[in-house]
Amino acid sequence: MAWTNKVLRVNLTEGTLRYEPLNQEWVKDYLGQRGLGTRYLVDEVDPEVDALSPENKMIFATGPLTGTAASTSARYSVITKSPLTGAIACSNSGGFFGPELKFAGLDMVIFEGKSPTPVYLYIENDEAKLLPADDIWGKSVWEADEILHKAHHDPQLRVAAVGRAAESGCLYAAIVNDLHRAAGRSGVGTVMASKNLKAIAVRGTKGISNIKDPKRFMASTAQEKEVLAENAVTGTGLPALGTQVLMNVINEIGAMPTRNMQDVQFEGASKISGEAMLEPRESDGKPNLTTNAGCFGCTIACGRISTVDTSHFSVKDKPQYHHNSGGLEYEAAWALGSDTCVDDLDAATYVNFLCNEDGMDPITLGSTIAAAMELFEKGAITTEHTGGVELEFGSPQSLVWCAEQVVAATEFGKDLGLGSKRLCEKYGMPDLSMTVKGQEFPAYDPRGIQGMGLAYATSNRGACHLRGYTVASEVLGIPEKTDPLVSEGKAGLVIAFQDATAAVDSAGLCLFTTFAWGMDNIAPQIDSACEGDWSVERLLEVGERIWNMERDFNLKAGLTGADDNLPKRLLKDVAKTGPAKGRVSELDVMLPEYYELRGWDSTGVPTDDTRQRLSLA
Amino acid sequence: MQKSLYLDADKCTGCKQCELACSFERDGSFNPIKSSIQIFTFHEAGRFVPYTCTQCDDAWCMTACPVDAITINTATGAKEVNEATCVGCKVCTIACPFGTINYNTDTGKVTKCDLCGGDPQCVTACPTDAITYVEADATGFSRMKEWAAKTDNAQSAA
């Protein structure tokens, strides 16, 4: 059956914990993880609540395949209302923490209320307790991780924690587990810190032994691992170069957002690419990349384990960064590099380490710094605001300084901690914020990849590449090639990706498998593990239901169809170079068709027929 | 021909598929704690190292066992625990210099790698060939070949 059928509910206000069975009716319609967590949130949280109030809840959810032998079974999600967007937040992470929750016998942990004092949750199989966090509050994730391991005398303990960014109210704080894997986007870490919850430390030794048909499951997962191994992206490109395999590719097709999305190609891209991470440094002859790494159960192993050049200005007097940690993946390298025009691989890697160490979303951090650089360029931010520091595109010193300000929560650092939407509003130039629903874009310019413009505009958690990655089709030809410069047909493509993605997330699998796997590779793995009949059709229906439920939450939270929009820059200013030269995003053409195909009215509200068809409350 | 497990840490990504395959084979569950092979992560060094029993010829676990519960499988060379005989005294876990024989609280017996009777599941599960099952007399040959390739006559050796 693959679920543990057990949920831990933690009331932080009262300091009470109780176990309850998983809602079996909802399992049938929402599968697990993202879907099921969202179903619980929708049932329990008024969408209009202040995201940082005790009335908001936060759900850690695993999927039925989390912790099993299926490849990429590492995933868990954190579902809550986002303080950055005011929309639903669902941030997915790998590493080893999610499976450990399963091994402790839990499908989900639901946090309610707010603790009167800083606490952390300790789980050891069937025993869970809230413990005082006095000695880890105010510490980084890395420090807290070390202290908790020592306190519990357990090297196998798995820790998810928030850092100092979350504690000081940075609106894009991440929850970091296993030192460098993160539920990164939409400020889920900010919500966690607002509840005075510093960390969750879990140790599980119960394992998973209730697979529906173990023999069929092992045969199916073994066969699908072969498919991953033989695929060019999952078998070769991702292990060798990580997601950074994309840096040069996306730059060449003219879809590399650069200089706060003023340009679509970055002249320094190759210097911060996956290939550059393999080049030996002059100083010590070592490359940036030490090795690739897998999350739990992952046979792809796209993870980057890197070092910063110890003689680099950013770390030369800071021995605490003179070792390996999680290195740059593409989105981070783009946001911290291309978008700020910084082509210094070590500076970007160091700031990425800071994101791991203190829990910040590197996409929003990099984009916000890029926005600050443009505000500085246009004279809205001056050296008076920065205490004399010049914020210049292309300056690694500016990048590093800005990131350190956010961690230290200085006056200007707190401004940067607001994210680019609030930052640009505060400094009087709101149009310079490159966001949808208040969340910053990832690394694909919608002028050069038309489908992504629609995917961004309609994403339920604001601009995001992980809700409908049409790059797969438009750039990589997966499952079939479509022209990235053409908007026709993209509404259907985006919907297909969005629904499939929601189902994959809900199983507890990694989205990266879908470079090689279609739903017909995934369904048999779920079907052999889980009670019930899990066909491709049913999974896609689950995906569509999840999408509409998230949409419904957002509409009730006060968002409207008007929020399915892109910044003027992407709709009015043409791409200046590359294959997309002269083009803008054709969102206005795609959006009405998208609404129609979704079964929503012209204002973007699901019709009664659609709601009935999907059995939405 | 007898075979041995050959563990190459440089190829390991730390994914634990071997642990899952082992625990499933031994315990019917996905549960790393029940696996006889373990992956150790050295975070700051950026290394992942698989480790398990090397099936010593002069096996101290076998020598130490007071009830002769550990015997040699003559086909595979594996030192196997006979659960019916094992009394759970754990003396073998003290005797083993490598820590690769361990007590199982569920069964009250000790457990160790038995090479799955000659078809080690960790080998099948490993996606990067960090764990291979090779001729026992030639466990070093692949590493020899890597060094051979680095010698001055590398071009002709290829």
Side-chain angles (χ1 to χ4, degrees):
Chain A
M1 88 154 62
W3 300 275
T4 67
N5 291 315
K6 196 165 160 188
V7 175
L8 172 60
R9 186 177 290 274
V10 181
N11 186 314
L12 292 159
T13 308
E14 305 292 332
T16 54
L17 294 84
R18 82 165 192 265
Y19 292 99
E20 58 190 46
L22 190 68
N23 186 315
Q24 290 300 325
E25 284 307 306
W26 290 349
V27 164
K28 290 177 193 163
D29 286 340
Y30 297 93
L31 186 57
Q33 224 235 39
R34 174 176 163 189
L36 205 49
T38 305
R39 186 66 189 85
Y40 271 82
L41 190 83
V42 165
D43 192 60
E44 300 186 16
V45 172
D46 175 357
E48 291 184 344
V49 297
D50 175 351
L52 299 179
S53 70
E55 286 71 39
N56 193 10
K57 296 189 186 184
M58 181 179 64
I59 300 173
F60 282 63
T62 66
L65 297 193
T66 305
T68 69
S71 186
T72 78
S73 64
R75 315 304 296 189
Y76 75 96
S77 274
V78 181
I79 299 112
T80 186
K81 180 175 176 176
S82 164
L84 185 71
T85 64
I88 196 155
C90 173
S91 288
N92 188 306
S93 181
F96 299 84
F97 177 83
E100 201 73 18
L101 274 181
K102 277 290 277 287
F103 298 150
L106 294 170
D107 287 319
M108 276 191 210
V109 184
I110 302 174
F111 293 96
E112 312 174 335
K114 176 185 178 176
S115 172
T117 55
V119 291
Y120 72 97
L121 176 66
Y122 177 71
I123 302 169
E124 187 185 333
N125 292 328
D126 294 328
E127 290 183 27
K129 52 192 168 185
L130 289 168
L131 295 169
D134 302 334
D135 55 347
I136 51 175
W137 195 261
K139 298 281 200 288
S140 74
V141 171
W142 292 356
E143 290 166 329
D145 187 281
E146 187 177 350
I147 291 167
L148 289 175
H149 275 92
K150 280 186 182 159
H152 292 281
H153 307 287
D154 188 349
Q156 308 279 38
L157 195 69
R158 301 294 180 185
V159 175
V162 293
R164 290 169 291 193
E167 291 178 23
S168 62
C170 168
L171 289 176
Y172 45 91
I175 298 168
V176 178
N177 56 276
D178 303 292
L179 298 172
H180 59 87
R181 308 301 315 193
R185 301 221 73 191
S186 312
V188 293
T190 319
V191 173
M192 184 157 153
S194 79
K195 299 190 171 306
N196 264 331
L197 179 67
K198 177 69 178 178
I200 302 164
V202 57
R203 180 79 164 105
T205 59
K206 293 162 60 139
I208 298 166
S209 52
N210 60 345
I211 297 295
K212 181 176 80 178
D213 184 345
K215 202 174 163 189
R216 187 156 68 92
F217 180 70
M218 290 306 273
S220 171
T221 54
Q223 181 184 323
E224 301 309 342
K225 284 173 204 165
E226 282 300 312
V227 174
L228 293 177
E230 285 161 16
N231 179 275
V233 178
T234 53
T236 308
L238 285 173
L241 297 172
T243 52
Q244 275 272 63
V245 69
L246 287 168
M247 180 65 75
N248 289 321
V249 176
I250 301 296
N251 196 45
E252 272 165 33
I253 68 158
M256 173 69 69
T258 303
R259 200 178 287 272
N260 197 34
M261 301 191 91
Q262 295 180 78
D263 298 317
V264 295
Q265 287 183 307
F266 177 43
E267 62 280 6
S270 66
K271 293 185 184 171
I272 53 169
S273 66
E275 290 83 352
M277 289 169 72
L278 305 179
E279 292 294 321
R281 294 186 283 249
E282 273 183 32
S283 60
D284 58 4
K286 290 180 185 167
N288 175 281
L289 183 76
T290 302
T291 184
N292 66 324
C295 293
F296 184 96
C298 177
T299 58
I300 302 173
C302 74
R304 304 291 91 183
I305 303 296
S306 287
T307 57
V308 182
D309 184 342
T310 54
S311 65
H312 189 261
F313 80 88
S314 60
V315 302
K316 70 177 186 317
D317 300 320
K318 299 169 192 159
Q320 67 269 38
Y321 302 107
H322 293 186
H323 59 70
N324 283 278
S325 190
L328 290 166
E329 53 93 39
Y330 172 56
E331 304 299 333
W334 159 78
L336 302 170
S338 171
D339 206 31
T340 64
C341 293
V342 170
D343 63 6
D344 182 329
L345 184 61
D346 286 296
T349 305
Y350 165 66
V351 174
N352 196 56
F353 278 17
L354 293 183
C355 289
N356 293 333
E357 183 185 23
D358 267 297
M360 296 176 284
D361 169 7
I363 300 179
T364 289
L365 175 68
S367 303
T368 302
I369 293 172
M373 286 171 168
E374 190 173 356
L375 288 166
F376 189 88
E377 196 174 68
K378 295 197 161 43
I381 289 176
T382 68
T383 48
E384 277 184 33
H385 302 110
T386 63
V389 176
E390 313 251 338
L391 301 187
E392 289 175 338
F393 280 113
S395 161
Q397 286 80 10
S398 299
L399 169 71
V400 164
W401 182 82
C402 284
E404 289 176 340
Q405 300 312 298
V406 181
V407 175
T410 60
E411 197 175 333
F412 188 68
K414 283 186 176 169
D415 282 354
L416 292 173
L418 296 169
S420 73
K421 178 169 180 274
R422 291 168 178 84
L423 179 82
C424 293
E425 281 168 359
K426 178 169 179 177
Y427 287 94
M429 305 187 90
D431 286 351
L432 298 192
S433 168
M434 295 299 116
T435 50
V436 174
K437 302 180 175 76
Q439 177 159 283
E440 286 71 10
F441 288 91
Y444 314 88
D445 197 296
R447 288 168 291 201
I449 308 177
Q450 288 293 333
M452 286 309 288
L454 181 63
Y456 293 144
T458 58
S459 160
N460 288 322
R461 68 170 188 173
C464 172
H465 57 298
L466 298 172
R467 288 296 176 273
Y469 193 72
T470 60
V471 175
S473 166
E474 295 178 275
V475 180
L476 304 171
I478 301 166
E480 56 194 33
K481 187 78 172 77
T482 53
D483 187 340
L485 300 177
V486 171
S487 58
E488 194 185 341
K490 293 298 163 62
L493 187 73
V494 166
I495 289 169
F497 271 83
Q498 287 174 336
D499 292 350
T501 298
V504 174
D505 284 345
S506 299
L509 297 175
C510 177
L511 198 53
F512 289 0
T513 57
T514 58
F515 288 117
W517 289 349
M519 293 309 288
D520 51 345
N521 300 90
I522 292 170
Q525 300 184 68
I526 300 173
D527 188 62
S528 55
C530 302
E531 295 301 317
D533 165 35
W534 296 93
S535 63
V536 171
E537 294 70 29
R538 181 159 170 216
L539 288 169
L540 290 176
E541 186 191 303
V542 166
E544 186 184 6
R545 182 178 295 118
I546 294 166
W547 191 264
N548 278 274
M549 182 176 57
E550 292 171 341
R551 175 75 175 186
D552 204 39
F553 182 93
N554 286 350
L555 293 172
K556 287 174 181 158
L559 281 77
T560 69
D563 295 298
D564 300 333
N565 209 344
L566 297 175
K568 279 185 202 152
R569 175 165 287 169
L570 306 175
L571 298 171
K572 307 277 185 206
D573 299 351
V574 297
K576 295 172 198 155
T577 61
K581 188 175 176 181
R583 291 176 189 272
V584 295
S585 168
E586 294 165 20
L587 178 65
D588 57 335
V589 180
M590 297 182 280
L591 193 62
E593 188 189 357
Y594 175 90
Y595 282 175
E596 198 184 329
L597 291 175
R598 273 273 175 227
W600 300 351
D601 68 20
S602 61
T603 64
V605 177
T607 61
D608 288 342
D609 282 354
T610 301
R611 301 176 66 88
Q612 220 159 35
R613 181 170 57 80
L614 297 170
S615 329
L616 282 174
Chain B
M1 185 196 309
Q2 213 167 83
K3 287 180 151 188
S4 292
L5 288 176
Y6 179 66
L7 309 176
D8 185 347
D10 287 344
K11 291 181 179 166
C12 179
T13 64
C15 78
K16 294 180 177 281
Q17 277 286 345
C18 54
E19 295 184 10
L20 292 169
C22 184
S23 72
F24 184 77
E25 173 74 15
R26 306 186 68 78
D27 189 60
S29 69
F30 300 123
N31 192 358
I33 194 79
K34 303 290 188 200
S35 170
S36 287
I37 188 164
Q38 293 285 318
I39 303 299
F40 295 92
T41 298
F42 299 91
H43 175 73
E44 296 197 353
R47 272 173 70 76
F48 308 99
V49 184
Y51 210 80
T52 189
C53 173
T54 55
Q55 314 293 349
C56 308
D57 266 4
D58 193 359
W60 292 10
C61 59
M62 195 165 69
T63 308
C65 180
V67 294
D68 292 335
I70 300 173
T71 54
I72 302 177
N73 179 324
T74 49
T76 62
K79 313 302 173 291
E80 297 178 351
V81 178
N82 182 341
E83 283 206 0
T85 313
C86 174
V87 294
C89 73
K90 311 181 199 69
V91 170
C92 55
T93 68
I94 300 165
C96 174
F98 306 108
T100 54
I101 185 164
N102 288 282
Y103 183 66
N104 181 335
T105 50
D106 291 346
T107 59
K109 313 289 181 181
V110 293
T111 175
K112 69 180 285 299
C113 172
D114 60 3
L115 296 174
C116 301
D119 181 19
Q121 294 302 297
C122 54
V123 173
T124 311
C126 179
T128 62
D129 291 335
I131 311 165
T132 47
Y133 194 45
V134 300
E135 204 178 323
D137 292 339
T139 51
F141 283 15
S142 61
R143 190 169 291 169
M144 275 168 74
K145 187 179 177 187
E146 282 169 30
W147 282 104
K150 291 176 189 169
T151 57
D152 289 336
N153 61 346
Q155 278 181 331
S156 56

